């Protein structure tokens, strides 16, 4: 089975890695057995899940450290999907090891050229990982998008210069993502408050699984 390990990576901080990883895992868990691997020493996703009540059946979190590949390999045995939340760092070994274990990489970026260019190093790392791991597919995912309008021309050019393609589905800026984090749940557990955010995440899942 391919597409089982989906890593959410960007060395730039605050671009939405944990928000995407948590909600992606919640959506995938509605399809099949899913695990979350927390590779960030800040342990944000672990704290998010630990905070929540029982109203949202979030996947279990396993904290992974130096031997990320072994931990991911272990999780793959019992889960159809493993979502890996990565730290805002490129620090060689850990990220390289995760990319070597991953089938899909999602790189959330804020929709400004400056933010995108701050992730250029990431694109180079992904390309290097793809040389070793031929099955690895990667996409940029726009996060905190303000409108459904077309991207600005500057942003389109910046995206075109990237060696990593842009996922068509994107994440809008929505209060629901912040509420979910505060309440320790995914947007799926927010009922009518979360419907539009759920639609964002479902579109991302469908597009990623279709490839
Ligand atoms: N689409 C969104 N709409 C509204 N708020 C968002 C959205 N995405 C992320 N946020 C908020 O932005 C902040 C940063 O998001 P998040 O923690 O997911 O980023 P991160 O890349 O994991 O950060 P770090 O690099 O520190 O791990 C959080 O407060 C989160 O709630
Ligand atoms: Mg994070």
């Amino acid at each position: 089975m391919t597409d089982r390990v989906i890593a959410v990576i960007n060395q730039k901080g605050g671009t939405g890695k944990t928000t995407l990883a948590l909600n992606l895992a919640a959506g995938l868990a509605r399809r099949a057995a899913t695990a979350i691997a927390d590779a960030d020493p800040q342990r944000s996703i672990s704290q998010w899940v630990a905070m929540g009540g029982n109203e949202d059946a979030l996947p279990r979190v396993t904290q992974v450290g130096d031997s990320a590949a072994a931990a991911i390999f272990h999780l793959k045995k019992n889960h159809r999907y493993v979502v890996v939340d990565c730290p805002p760092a490129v620090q060689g070994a850990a990220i390289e090891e995760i990319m070597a274990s991953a089938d899909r990489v999602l790189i959330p970026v804020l929709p400004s050229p400056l933010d995108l260019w701050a992730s250029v190093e990431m694109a180079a790392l992904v390309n290097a990982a793809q040389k070793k791991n031929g099955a690895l597919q990667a996409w940029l995912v726009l996060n905190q998008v303000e409108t459904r309008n077309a991207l600005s021309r500057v942003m389109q050019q910046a995206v075109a210069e990237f060696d990593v393609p842009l996922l068509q589905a994107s994440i809008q800026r929505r209060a629901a993502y912040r509420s979910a984090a505060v309440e320790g749940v995914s947007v799926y557990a927010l009922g009518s408050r979360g419907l539009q955010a759920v639609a964002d995440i479902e579109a991302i899942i469908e597009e990623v699984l279709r490839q």
Side-chain angles (χ1 to χ4, degrees), residues 128-143:
Q130 284 173 323
K131 293 209 171 75
K132 291 183 221 157
N133 176 1
L136 182 68
Q137 277 190 279
W139 296 272
L140 299 170
V141 184
L142 292 178
N143 183 26

Side-chain angles (χ1 to χ4, degrees), residues 190-210:
L190 293 178
S192 57
R193 289 183 296 153
L195 287 181
Q196 291 172 310
V198 166
D200 290 345
I201 301 299
E202 285 292 310
I204 289 171
I205 292 174
E206 291 300 323
E207 191 175 344
V208 168
L209 296 188
R210 202 187 308 138

